């Protein structure tokens, strides 16, 4: 074991110890929800509408199973409010009259025999009188068929800077383009699942695979009309989330709890892959129209962006996704005249929701593809065009936010170009492609890039409203326990929080315990989303640990430097004296951050991570298959706490981004996903991912002024890689084929069509 | 129906549904939940186990078909409660596990490929893991883990888990 003085001198920040929960994961001992042994549990299943829109007229339970042995729950059994709401109470937990999408839950069934549950589900017939539907985003915006509110608009806003109309009218060059991205399934390998226990005496306890314990907590308190203390939510080991376990777990937990309440028995509900893909949320499909004005050098004079999202049948989180998308729509570029019009429309698809990047991958794709279109039109290299338009410190973004991050984007770009040997390959591939074309051989090579940024933490005043809390206490034996509702979902939260605590307290890792998220044990530190865990919650862990240390030293129990044994005995004495060795730290908005929710003006995010990604591809014009050969991901995300895990985040995100760009296509029919199986919804395998080279820069720390918002200058990184991967790949495909590639996924069929259309 | 098979070196007997999948027998009847279900249709490899030393997707195997056979699951990979197999060790050190749900299957697939190619090339690693999906890592750190494991000494057969140790666990 390391000596404490060594620890304090050489901080653990920036080192890569094995992850805390790692042994349990590599030995198969980690307990995921479906592994939880539950004595006497019933299995629960869901009967869904299958009709995209209509009036529910009745339910028939056909003979074929012993119905008297089943516990049956419908909307009528809900003790409190029939809603699962994040922003607005428009979504029922169980539909009772109106059906708004084909996966709407209507009846819940529970029985000890799993197979019998399945049979019963098929014998339960719903009588639904169909109503007109709308599935196309723009048809929804036309408003001919009204499916939500007065105008189908879940949320709209606009960001205005300067005078776009005037600037467009006078710009010498105008470029227009339309861009689109498809729905994307999170495809965490562990499907969603919950176990619920309910009784009038003890209230409700739910264990589950989830990202946000307090979201589920709030949903259940509302559904049952219970005071907060009668609901308890406990996170099990969670097999991936990526946003997919942000909101839907509230629905599934509610269903399991309702069945448990009715049956007075524990109920286990685990989705199989098919149901998970059909019913849970996906990335919002998007369409973006951009008109931009330029001078001959390519300099942006005006930028007019119309950004639209398909929100699905209910509001859920769409307004916030739309905000993040809109706020990233103009990219890391400077322009004096910007208008961003953003709208999220309701359709009769199941609600779309959070997926890593949260609207930004959609809008970043559009602006990056548009810049490549401009570059092609003006005959300027894409990298050069970007360089001419980069934001610099002191300049303002579309919202009027002044860039205060310590960045030098041309420098970042240069480094990425050098890493990838971009300039040489750009020329070389163009020559090779011309040769292949003249020889009639099918192989084309391309290299392309994307530059982008991602705001860390909640948008706008989100963090201020959340007012997250972290608690830290110490036992008489000197074990420091970190209590936060942030969940471990693969990103390594337990390890990073431990490192942050070690950095402050100078203790060995085994003396730091990160308490499992359980609403009876941890305060509300906000949801595990928005790349906020390290930067926002980690900062609270840091300040709580500082406070704990202060408390011990103020009492004269701890000196300037100490050994772990001295720390433990200080804790022991403190307890013996009857002291409470527990401190809390609550989020305080840093001064100088101003945001106006109504006008979309001000500091949209406290800080950003900045990046340049480069992709190299091979396209085969016989099969129309695109292969990503190499990928370079360079980013400045501030101080990196754990380099191995941080690189792992980027690599995983790049792979998901490549899937988003090339493979992952949701096929819809009447609002239902037609390929809800891993067999025909294709995600990248070990044979598909390229060599991914990840590099981090931390310019602020290099210059001696670490970023202020996170612990030791850390920022968020979790979502960043999703923003830039797809546009970098598309850019390389454009270089290889000459086709713009303005829509993803670009499957072989799509590429074939695009090439034929271009002929 | 009555089923007898050897799991991680121990003979086990249980009553199973004639159509039960090996995956369910392991997870439910034998209380070995380390083997995971990601898809139930042979696509993801989360349910990988060894049957007589051969890597299979246990969600596709009818349990009755493996009566009397020798099964190894993730629970039987570590040589003892205190020791890890070199592949587990390497996954731990090199970031090969993130959320961990694919990890049991991935580790067995890695062991299978190392048995075939003790010093694998990158292409052999990619090929060997081709049947195991991971949504978290982008595979890069898994490749690194496998290559690192290949450089570590394999556990000698005498250190394989004994029935006694297994029972203690
Ligand atoms: S669960 Fe067997 S392959 Fe996916
Ligand atoms: S580590 Fe999460 S799926 Fe592989």
């Amino acid at each position: 074991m390391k000596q404490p003085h060594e620890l304090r001198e050489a901080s653990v920040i920036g080192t890569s110890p094995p992850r805390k929960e790692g042994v349990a994961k590599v030995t198969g001992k980690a307990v995921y929800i479906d592994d939880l042994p539950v004595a006497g549990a019933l299995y629960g299943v869901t009967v869904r509408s299958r009709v995209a829109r209509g009036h529910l007229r009745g339910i028939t339970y056909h003979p074929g199973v012993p119905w008297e042995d089943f516990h049956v729950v419908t909307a009528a059994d809900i003790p409190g409010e029939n809603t699962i709401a994040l922003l607005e109470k428009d979504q029922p937990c169980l539909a009772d009259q109106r059906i708004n999408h084909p996966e709407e839950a209507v009846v819940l069934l529970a029985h000890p025999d799993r197979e019998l549950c399945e049979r019963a589900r098929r014998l339960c017939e719903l009588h639904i009188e169909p109503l007109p539907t709308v599935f196309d985003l723009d048809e929804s915006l036309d408003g001919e068929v009204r499916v939500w509110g007065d105008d189908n608009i879940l949320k709209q806003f606009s960001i205005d800077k300067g005078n776009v109309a005037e600037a467009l009218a006078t710009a010498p060059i105008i470029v227009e383009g339309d861009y689109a991205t498809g729905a994307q399934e999170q495809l965490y390998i562990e499907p969603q699942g919950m176990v619920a226990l309910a009784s009038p005496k003890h209230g409700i306890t739910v264990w589950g695979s989830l990202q946000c314990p307090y979201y589920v907590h709030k949903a259940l308190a509302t559904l049952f009309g219970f005071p907060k203390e009668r609901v308890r939510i406990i996170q099990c080991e969670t097999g991936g989330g990526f946003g997919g376990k942000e909101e839907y777990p509230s629905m599934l937990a509610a269903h399991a709890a309702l069945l448990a309440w009715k049956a007075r028995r524990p109920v286990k509900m685990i989705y199989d892959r098919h149901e998970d893909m059909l019913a849970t949320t996906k990335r919002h499909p998007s369409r973006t129209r951009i008109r931009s004005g330029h001078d001959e050098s390519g300099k942006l004079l005006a930028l007019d962006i119309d950004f639209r999202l398909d929100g699905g049948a209910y509001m859920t989180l769409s307004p916030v996704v739309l905000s993040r998308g809109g706020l990233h729509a103009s990219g890391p570029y400077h322009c004096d005249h910007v208008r961003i019009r953003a709208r999220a429309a309701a359709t009769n698809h199941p609600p779309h929701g959070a997926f890593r990047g949260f609207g930004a991958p959609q809008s970043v794709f559009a602006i990056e593809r548009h810049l490549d279109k401009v570059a092609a039109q003006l005959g300027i290299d894409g990298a050069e065009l970007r360089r001419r338009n980069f934001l610099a410190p002191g300049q303002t973004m579309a919202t009027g936010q002044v860039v205060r991050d310590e960045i030098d984007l041309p420098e970042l770009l240069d480094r990425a170009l050098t890493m990838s040997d971009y300039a040489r390959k750009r020329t070389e591939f163009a020559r090779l492609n011309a040769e292949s074309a003249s020889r009639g051989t099918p192989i084309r090579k391309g290299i392309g890039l994307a530059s982008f940024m991602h705001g860390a933490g909640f948008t706008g005043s989100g963090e201020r409203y959340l007012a997250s809390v972290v608690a830290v206490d110490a036992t008489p034996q000197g074990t420091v326990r970190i209590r936060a509702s942030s969940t471990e979902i693969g990103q390594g939260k337990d390890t990073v929080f431990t490192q942050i605590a070690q950095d402050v307290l100078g203790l060995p890792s085994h003396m730091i315990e990160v308490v499992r998220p359980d609403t009876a044990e941890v305060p509300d530190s906000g949801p595990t989303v928005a790349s906020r865990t390290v930067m926002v919650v980690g900062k609270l862990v840091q300040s709580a640990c500082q406070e704990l240390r202060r408390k011990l030293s103020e009492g004269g129990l701890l000196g300037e430097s100490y050994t772990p044994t001295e720390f433990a005995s200080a804790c022991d004495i403190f307890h013996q004296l009857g002291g409470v060795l527990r401190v809390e730290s609550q989020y305080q908005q840093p001064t100088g951050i101003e945001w106006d929710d109504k006008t979309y003006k001000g500091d949209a995010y406290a800080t950003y991570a900045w990046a340049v990604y480069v992709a190299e591809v091979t396209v085969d014009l016989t099969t129309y298959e695109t292969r990503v050969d190499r990928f370079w991901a360079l980013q400045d995300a501030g101080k990196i706490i754990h380099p191995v895990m941080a690189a792992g985040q980027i690599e995983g995100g790049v792979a998901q981004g490549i899937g988003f760009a090339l493979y992952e296509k949701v096929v819809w029919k009447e609002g239902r996903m037609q390929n809800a199986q891993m067999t025909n919804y294709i995600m990248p395998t070990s044979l598909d991912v390229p060599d991914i080279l990840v590099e981090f820069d931390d310019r602020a720390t290099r210059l001696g002024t670490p970023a202020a918002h996170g612990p030791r200058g850390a920022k968020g990184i979790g979502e960043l890689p999703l923003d830039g991967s797809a546009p970098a790949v598309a850019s390389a495909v454009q270089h290889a084929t000459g086709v713009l590639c303005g829509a993803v996924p670009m499957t072989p069929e799509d590429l074939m069509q695009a090439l034929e259309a271009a002929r | 129906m009555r089923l007898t098979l050897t799991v991680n070196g121990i003979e086990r007997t249980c009553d199973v549904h004639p159509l039960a999948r090996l995956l369910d027998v392991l997870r439910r009847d034998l209380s070995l939940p380390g083997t995971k279900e990601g898809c139930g249709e042979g696509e993801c490899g989360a349910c990988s186990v060894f049957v007589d030393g051969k890597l299979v997707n246990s969600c596709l195997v009818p349990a009755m078909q493996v009566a009397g056979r020798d099964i190894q699951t993730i629970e039987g990979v570590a040589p003892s409660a205190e020791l890890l197999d070199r592949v587990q060790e390497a996954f731990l050190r090199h970031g090969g596990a993130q959320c961990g749900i694919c990890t049991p299957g991935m580790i067995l697939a890695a062991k299978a490929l190392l048995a075939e190619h003790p010093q694998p090339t990158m292409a052999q690693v990619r090929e060997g893991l081709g049947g195991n999906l991971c949504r978290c890592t982008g595979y890069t750190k898994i490749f690194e883990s496998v290559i690192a494991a290949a450089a570590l000494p394999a556990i000698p057969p005498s250190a394989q888990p004994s029935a006694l140790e297994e029972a203690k666990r």
Side-chain angles (χ1 to χ4, degrees):
Chain A
M1 194 213 299
K2 280 189 181 171
Q3 293 305 304
H5 62 270
E6 268 183 351
L7 273 177
R8 219 160 308 132
E9 277 161 20
S11 169
V12 289
I13 302 285
T15 69
S16 297
R19 53 168 65 221
K20 272 211 135 166
E21 75 306 338
V23 173
K25 283 178 178 172
V26 300
T27 54
K29 292 195 179 116
V31 180
Y32 299 83
I33 185 66
D34 198 20
D35 307 338
L36 201 68
V38 192
L42 306 175
Y43 294 100
V45 295
T46 315
V47 182
R48 299 183 188 279
S49 53
R50 293 171 155 266
V51 172
R53 188 161 174 252
H55 284 295
L56 178 63
R57 295 300 188 208
I59 304 168
T60 308
Y61 301 91
H62 292 288
V65 291
W67 281 109
E68 62 284 3
D69 298 345
F70 276 83
H71 301 277
V72 179
V73 165
T74 65
D77 295 293
I78 294 173
E81 276 183 78
N82 181 9
T83 184
I84 301 292
L86 276 159
L87 299 163
E88 178 139 336
K89 293 182 173 172
D90 61 335
Q91 176 176 235
C93 172
L94 291 171
D96 55 353
Q97 289 156 11
R98 284 294 286 275
I99 301 296
N100 288 308
H101 67 82
E103 313 303 341
E104 196 107 62
V106 181
V107 182
L108 304 169
L109 307 170
H111 191 278
D113 184 332
R114 235 192 230 200
E115 278 72 38
L116 216 51
C117 281
E118 272 311 316
R119 207 181 316 152
R121 160 148 68 178
R122 289 193 290 271
L123 292 170
C124 179
E125 190 190 347
L126 306 178
H127 305 278
I128 298 167
E129 189 185 309
L131 286 168
T133 49
V134 57
F135 300 112
D136 183 84
L137 156 63
D138 289 316
E139 277 172 28
S140 167
L141 286 170
D142 290 344
E144 220 157 278
V145 179
R146 262 185 284 144
V147 298
W148 195 92
D150 294 333
D151 54 7
N152 295 340
I153 294 182
L154 298 166
K155 163 94 178 173
Q156 59 182 333
F157 63 86
S158 87
I159 301 172
D160 291 285
K161 179 188 182 192
N163 188 333
V164 171
E166 215 168 80
L168 280 173
T170 55
I173 296 156
I174 302 286
V175 182
E176 293 181 63
D178 285 291
Y179 309 95
T181 63
Q184 187 187 16
E185 165 60 36
Q186 291 87 357
L187 215 71
Y188 32 72
I189 304 295
E190 178 207 32
Q192 304 218 14
M194 294 283 163
V195 170
L197 216 60
S199 75
K201 192 155 160 239
H202 298 108
I204 311 279
T205 306
V206 176
W207 291 259
S209 175
L210 52 94
Q211 286 177 233
C212 312
Y214 276 95
Y215 279 3
V216 181
H217 189 261
K218 184 175 161 212
L220 292 198
T222 309
L223 188 78
F224 282 86
F226 280 176
K228 282 185 184 152
E229 57 283 3
R230 298 198 67 211
V231 178
R232 180 176 178 188
I233 311 298
I234 305 167
Q235 186 218 4
C236 282
E237 204 68 68
T238 295
F242 318 115
K245 293 173 185 171
E246 174 168 356
E247 48 190 314
Y248 201 86
S250 298
M251 181 68 83
L252 182 50
H255 292 167
L258 285 170
L259 281 169
W261 182 253
K262 180 113 183 217
R264 297 284 187 264
R265 298 255 306 262
V267 169
K268 190 170 195 174
M269 289 186 86
I270 309 284
Y271 285 170
D272 64 17
R273 178 58 59 186
H274 186 56
E275 183 166 21
D276 192 293
M277 290 177 85
L278 285 175
T280 69
T281 60
K282 296 171 184 53
R283 187 186 297 291
H284 290 72
S286 78
R287 286 187 196 144
T288 309
R289 176 161 185 75
I290 304 183
R291 281 186 85 210
S292 61
H294 304 264
D295 66 14
E296 285 76 9
S297 75
K299 179 104 196 71
L300 269 166
L301 303 177
L303 197 47
D304 193 3
I305 301 174
D306 180 28
F307 177 60
R308 287 108 67 207
L309 293 179
D310 172 354
Y314 298 108
M315 180 183 278
T316 63
L317 285 166
S318 291
V320 209
V321 175
L322 188 75
S323 283
R324 190 176 278 272
L327 289 164
H328 287 73
S330 51
Y333 308 109
H334 179 255
C335 182
D336 284 324
H337 305 281
V338 184
R339 175 170 60 198
I340 299 163
R341 183 178 188 212
R343 287 170 292 168
T347 63
N348 298 111
H349 289 124
H352 293 300
F355 189 165
R356 201 173 187 178
F358 209 70
Q362 292 93 319
S363 63
V364 170
F365 178 80
I367 185 71
E368 287 303 293
R369 298 314 304 127
H370 187 73
L371 286 191
D372 276 353
K373 184 171 193 179
V374 173
Q377 203 157 316
L378 298 184
I380 305 172
D381 182 78
E384 183 53 31
L385 178 73
R386 285 170 175 84
R387 184 195 310 278
R388 291 178 189 170
N389 287 292
F390 275 144
L391 274 166
Q395 288 183 326
T396 54
M397 306 169 91
T399 59
Q401 174 167 13
V402 177
V403 177
R404 292 197 201 90
D405 283 11
E406 182 55 70
I407 48 160
D408 182 342
L409 294 177
E411 183 189 271
L412 202 68
L413 175 70
D414 280 338
R415 191 167 151 194
L417 298 182
T418 310
M419 271 168 76
S420 57
D421 200 7
Y422 176 89
R424 189 189 62 79
K425 285 180 181 164
R426 196 81 187 164
T427 327
E428 175 74 6
F429 292 169
R431 190 181 60 75
L432 284 176
N433 291 342
E435 266 177 38
S436 305
S438 63
R439 268 191 280 120
T441 52
I443 302 302
R444 301 286 183 276
K445 295 273 297 167
I447 187 164
L449 83 170
S451 48
F452 55 102
M453 81 287 189
H454 194 90
F458 263 45
T459 298
S461 12
E463 292 294 347
R464 190 154 50 83
Y465 291 132
L466 272 179
S468 299
V469 176
V470 166
V472 168
D473 60 35
T475 66
Q477 294 73 35
T479 299
V480 174
R481 291 183 298 209
I482 299 171
R483 298 174 186 275
S485 64
S486 305
T487 50
E488 159 59 25
I489 49 177
Q491 82 286 45
K493 176 265 304 182
D494 289 2
T495 310
V496 170
F497 281 3
T498 300
Q499 287 177 284
I500 294 169
Q502 283 183 273
D503 183 46
V504 176
L505 296 168
L507 296 173
S509 162
H510 70 83
M511 288 179 73
I512 315 284
E513 183 193 324
V514 182
V515 175
R516 172 172 295 282
D518 168 345
T519 55
E521 295 286 337
V522 302
D524 188 353
S525 337
T528 305
V529 302
S531 312
R532 66 187 292 277
T533 300
V534 171
M535 187 179 94
V536 179
V537 188
K539 183 87 173 176
L540 296 175
V541 170
Q542 183 189 45
S543 55
C545 289
Q546 284 161 346
E547 186 55 31
L548 183 80
R549 190 170 166 176
R550 196 170 311 130
K551 211 165 173 171
L552 286 168
S553 45
E554 271 171 8
L557 298 173
L558 215 52
E560 260 298 288
S561 68
Y562 49 84
T563 64
T565 321
E566 284 163 1
F567 180 84
S569 63
C571 293
D572 191 24
I573 298 170
F574 197 99
H575 278 272
Q576 282 180 29
L577 296 172
V580 181
L581 205 38
R582 179 186 161 109
V583 295
E584 283 194 353
S585 182
Q586 183 160 32
Y587 178 81
Q588 303 280 339
Q589 182 143 304
T591 48
I593 295 194
E594 303 288 342
W595 173 254
D596 186 336
D597 278 324
K598 293 197 183 63
T599 59
Y600 275 73
K601 286 214 184 309
D603 302 306
Y605 300 92
T607 185
Y608 297 80
W610 307 82
V612 180
Y613 283 9
V614 184
E616 181 182 322
V617 303
T618 301
V619 180
D620 182 335
L621 294 182
T622 1
T623 60
Y624 296 98
E625 264 171 309
T626 301
R627 211 200 132 76
V628 184
D629 300 318
R630 272 156 167 264
F631 201 98
W632 296 266
L634 169 64
Q635 47 259 306
D636 187 337
K639 180 74 188 172
I640 299 303
I641 309 267
H642 189 297
V644 167
M645 293 196 312
Q649 283 297 301
I650 303 300
E651 291 152 2
V654 167
Q656 288 178 355
I658 290 172
F660 184 44
L662 296 176
Y663 308 114
E664 299 184 31
K665 187 167 207 158
V666 175
V667 181
W668 297 105
K669 190 174 165 203
E670 296 290 304
R672 294 202 97 194
M673 182 175 183
Q674 299 300 299
N675 53 334
Q677 282 162 303
M678 281 185 169
T679 339
N680 45 16
Y681 180 87
I682 307 301
M683 64 160 270
T685 70
S686 60
L687 295 161
D688 303 317
V689 294
D691 291 336
I692 304 169
L693 281 99
V694 177
E695 286 210 24
F696 295 104
D697 189 15
D698 179 6
R699 186 180 154 85
T701 303
R702 262 201 289 129
L703 299 184
T705 50
H709 302 284
R712 293 271 183 178
K715 300 181 185 178
I717 61 164
E719 297 173 291
L720 178 75
L722 250 301
D723 295 359
S725 301
V729 170
S731 174
V733 172
Q734 178 178 356
H735 185 223
T737 62
V739 163
L740 175 64
C741 195
V744 286
M746 192 69 146
T747 65
E749 300 82 75
D750 299 308
L751 184 59
M752 185 179 83
Q753 280 168 16
L755 278 161
E756 269 165 17
R759 248 173 229 147
Chain B
M1 288 176 83
R2 205 134 181 89
L3 170 71
T4 301
L5 70 184
T6 304
V7 183
N8 301 328
I10 304 172
E11 191 174 284
R12 308 280 302 259
T13 298
C14 52
D15 281 314
V16 303
H17 188 278
L19 296 178
R21 307 174 299 172
L22 175 58
L23 174 64
D24 298 325
V25 170
L26 291 170
R27 289 182 52 85
R28 293 191 220 164
D29 301 301
L30 301 178
S31 302
L32 292 168
T35 307
K36 306 301 179 194
E37 174 160 5
C39 68
E41 52 181 20
E43 284 293 322
C44 73
C47 63
S48 303
V49 299
F50 284 112
V51 175
D52 290 342
K54 201 171 157 283
L55 191 72
V56 300
N57 288 330
S58 64
C59 72
L60 296 182
V61 177
M64 293 314 293
Q65 226 173 61
V66 296
R69 312 275 283 276
D70 199 356
I71 317 292
Q72 192 190 18
T73 70
I74 187 68
E75 287 91 345
V77 167
S80 75
E82 290 76 36
L83 284 177
L84 293 180
D85 178 87
R86 60 174 177 160
V87 177
Q88 293 173 317
E89 184 74 36
F91 268 64
L92 200 55
R93 297 236 159 260
H94 298 272
Q98 284 190 21
C99 81
I101 197 80
C102 71
T103 310
M106 208 53 99
I107 285 177
L108 293 184
K111 286 180 70 69
L113 92 86
L114 288 173
E116 203 182 330
H117 308 286
Q119 296 302 324
T121 61
M122 197 44 123
Q124 287 165 337
V125 173
R126 286 174 179 274
E127 186 67 41
L129 302 178
N132 291 69
L133 296 178
C134 174
R135 189 56 153 172
C136 296
T137 61
Y139 306 98
T140 309
K141 295 273 177 282
I142 295 179
F143 300 157
E144 286 169 19
S145 303
V146 176
I147 300 278
L152 296 170
I155 303 293
S158 63
Q160 286 297 320
S162 69
L164 182 73
E165 278 172 320
E166 187 68 22
K168 269 195 319 209
R169 225 175 286 164

